[in-house]
Amino acid sequence: MRIGFLALSGIRVIDPDLAMIGLNLPGFVERSKVIASLPSLGLLTLAGLTPDEHELRYLDIPDVDAPDLIARLPGPFDVVAISSFTAMIKDAYRLAARYRAVGTKVILGGLHVALCPDEAATHADAIVVGEGEPAWPHVLADLARGQLRPRYQTTAPYDLAEAPMPRFDLLDVSKYNRLTIQTTRGCPWNCEFCAASIRLNPKYRTKPIPKVIAELHRIKEIWPVPFIEFADDNTFADKRHGHALCEALAAERVRWFTETDISVAQDDALLRKMRQAGCAQILVGLEDPADGLEGMELKSNWKARQRAHYLDSIRKIQDHGVTVNGCFVLGLDTHTEASFDRIWEFIQQSELYEIQLTVLTPFPGTPLYERFLRDGRLIDPLAWEKRTLFDVTYQPAHLSVEALRKGLLDLASKVYSTEFTDFRRRQFIRRKLAAEDRAA
Ligand code: B12
């Protein structure tokens, strides 16, 4: 079969004022360029599970509505596999319709499909709900026999010891400024708003280190000195795995970025190893420096219990030469007009190297979405295209929608201004040098 693996690329903001700010602020533009360019690891993984007898192509589709799209793209394909996140799902459905109109079978999978399977099923010949690896061989076999089923559902947690080698070789690597490797899946915590891989399967799993290193070696064959982003939700939740991962990476001379939680600050030896292993930055969900954390993590209120250590933890991690990208969520139920100033004060005090500001976003399939739906607080429950993490899609508890929008815009203009961006970078270097002096 000729199989096309199709990813929707780029990042999205609907609100024109927010898009404008993106065009004007240096820190923001820089970040957007960096994060917009990544291939779909989910599709490359499925391609890695596809037997050699099939002919494969991987394509990033920048504009699904472009005239003559299908005629201009490589192909034709017997079947296309399309991946989904919520913000671009309507684009994915339009792309699916265009392919189905020319007789190509369409398989849809990914996070949004897992969260809204009944909706997705109306746009595809088959959908895969949950993790893709266990289902994909069945999809291929059923396609070959002409007996495709409309729905494939996976529930048991996929064992990452079985993980296939993603087909990085299908990429035109000159188009990307970093490539992804997944070293863990899931997260031990369960935050009310989280719409990441715990929604595919809640079990936290680690990939055997030799497999991670083999993936890195495969990437180095096409890109000798790559920059790597780990496509993990919480790389260092399992400290033993984290130590072993860093020890193995130390020999690789590669720079990398990942997402993890603030608990890395409690492990000095791990911080030293992260630095030696080439860790450039960790992205940490701080969410709120005040009482908005209360009740956010649903298993044991874990997030709220970390708050008292935030400032010390950030300093300690950065003193080890690893920059922290601190993420804040605006519009939590405790937030009032005063919260924006409080977050701004905390950011200044923290000396965080990088900051991500997003608006609380009720993604479908999350406990947050269910709560807001129940309470009648969703502005347009099915406006999936607005689930961008920047657009306001619900009625905040103690703010108007406009006040939240404006609060984000004002805070973003302060945080991403040239002056403050320069200040943050200078502070980081100053503190790092001082820490190195102390250590010498
Ligand atoms: C890398 C990444 C990106 C890349 C995506 C590149 C791409 N085309 O895939 C870039 C930088 C472009 C990006 C952009 C955006 N992202 Co993003 N991103 C991530 C990140 C960090 C990792 C995703 C990943 O690679 N996972 C690993 C792979 C292996 O998992 P997977 O994709 O889920 O695939 C598995 C299954 O879903 C399934 N599967 C997937 N596709 C298919 C298809 C078929 C046919 C089948 C059978 C199975 C299948 O099989 C795979 C293996 O099990 C996650 C956060 C995180 N830590 O996970 C956020 C995340 C996915 N992003 C998110 C968001 C909000 C966005 C943006 C909307 C931001 C914005 N404002 O623009 C855009 C939307 C982009 C889009 N095109 O739709 C949210 C999505 C929530 C949701 N439910 O939609 C996440 C979870 C982060 C968060 N804060 O919540 N992102």
Side-chain angles (χ1 to χ4, degrees), residues 395-436:
Q395 178 56 56
H398 302 295
L399 287 163
S400 66
V401 168
E402 185 47 32
L404 175 51
R405 237 188 106 247
K406 192 169 170 309
L408 168 63
L409 284 166
D410 290 349
L411 190 54
S413 63
K414 286 191 265 199
V415 166
Y416 301 119
S417 70
T418 315
E419 302 74 50
F420 190 60
T421 305
D422 289 347
F423 167 78
R424 286 189 269 123
R425 306 216 163 143
R426 277 200 311 273
Q427 285 296 92
F428 172 74
I429 292 166
R430 191 183 61 74
R431 284 191 67 91
K432 193 176 80 136
L433 291 177
E436 283 168 3

Side-chain angles (χ1 to χ4, degrees), residues 7-197:
L8 302 174
S9 53
I11 57 164
R12 277 287 166 92
V13 187
I14 300 288
D15 186 324
D17 291 341
L18 277 167
M20 265 306 286
I21 212 166
L23 295 178
N24 294 329
L25 293 173
F28 203 81
V29 177
E30 225 174 80
R31 260 192 64 69
S32 306
K33 280 199 191 127
V34 170
I35 60 175
S37 149
L38 273 177
S40 165
L41 185 60
L43 291 175
L44 296 176
T45 304
L46 299 184
L49 274 177
T50 307
D52 286 344
E53 73 215 47
H54 302 292
E55 206 182 299
L56 315 188
R57 292 294 293 249
Y58 170 89
L59 302 173
D60 276 306
I61 313 286
D63 177 8
V64 299
D65 299 314
D68 302 328
L69 177 77
I70 293 178
R72 285 194 292 110
L73 285 175
F77 297 117
D78 300 305
V79 53
V80 291
I82 306 179
S83 189
S84 70
F85 298 143
T86 300
M88 299 260 204
I89 192 65
K90 292 182 182 171
D91 300 45
Y93 293 156
R94 292 203 301 285
L95 183 62
R98 293 185 80 167
Y99 271 104
R100 293 177 90 189
V102 297
T104 300
K105 290 256 182 283
V106 171
I107 322 291
L108 279 176
L111 264 175
H112 184 84
V113 171
L115 299 168
C116 297
D118 294 339
E119 170 196 284
T122 64
H123 297 276
D125 297 289
I127 59 165
V128 172
V129 184
E131 294 176 287
E133 295 90 340
W136 188 242
H138 299 290
V139 173
L140 290 177
D142 291 352
L143 267 168
R145 286 187 289 142
Q147 289 180 6
L148 189 65
R149 284 184 280 137
R151 186 179 296 212
Y152 297 78
Q153 180 111 30
T154 64
T155 44
Y158 180 65
D159 182 358
L160 293 179
E162 308 285 319
M165 172 65 71
R167 289 287 307 271
F168 298 112
D169 58 293
L170 295 176
L171 298 173
D172 168 2
V173 80
S174 66
K175 283 174 39 191
Y176 306 101
N177 55 29
R178 47 175 84 189
L179 289 179
T180 45
I181 296 179
Q182 196 169 45
T183 78
T184 64
R185 202 173 273 180
C187 177
W189 316 122
N190 180 16
C191 293
E192 189 190 26
F193 55 71
C194 182
S197 67

Side-chain angles (χ1 to χ4, degrees), residues 265-278:
Q266 291 155 24
D267 188 337
D268 288 48
L270 179 60
L271 290 174
R272 280 195 296 277
K273 287 182 193 174
M274 284 163 66
R275 168 77 177 152
Q276 284 155 7

Side-chain angles (χ1 to χ4, degrees), residues 31 257-262 264-265 271 274 279-286 310-328 346-347 350-356 424-425 428:
R31 260 192 64 69
F257 160 99
T258 198
E259 306 188 10
T260 194
D261 68 50
I262 195 77
V264 287
L271 290 174
M274 284 163 66
C279 181
Q281 185 168 89
I282 57 172
L283 182 142
V284 177
L286 302 169
Y310 270 2
L311 287 175
D312 290 345
S313 299
I314 295 164
R315 294 216 175 104
K316 190 159 162 204
I317 299 167
Q318 297 202 143
D319 284 351
H320 280 80
V322 171
T323 63
V324 178
N325 185 337
C327 303
F328 297 88
F346 178 87
I347 287 174
S350 71
E351 298 179 10
L352 277 165
Y353 183 85
E354 190 59 272
I355 290 116
Q356 183 171 290
R424 286 189 269 123
R425 306 216 163 143
F428 172 74

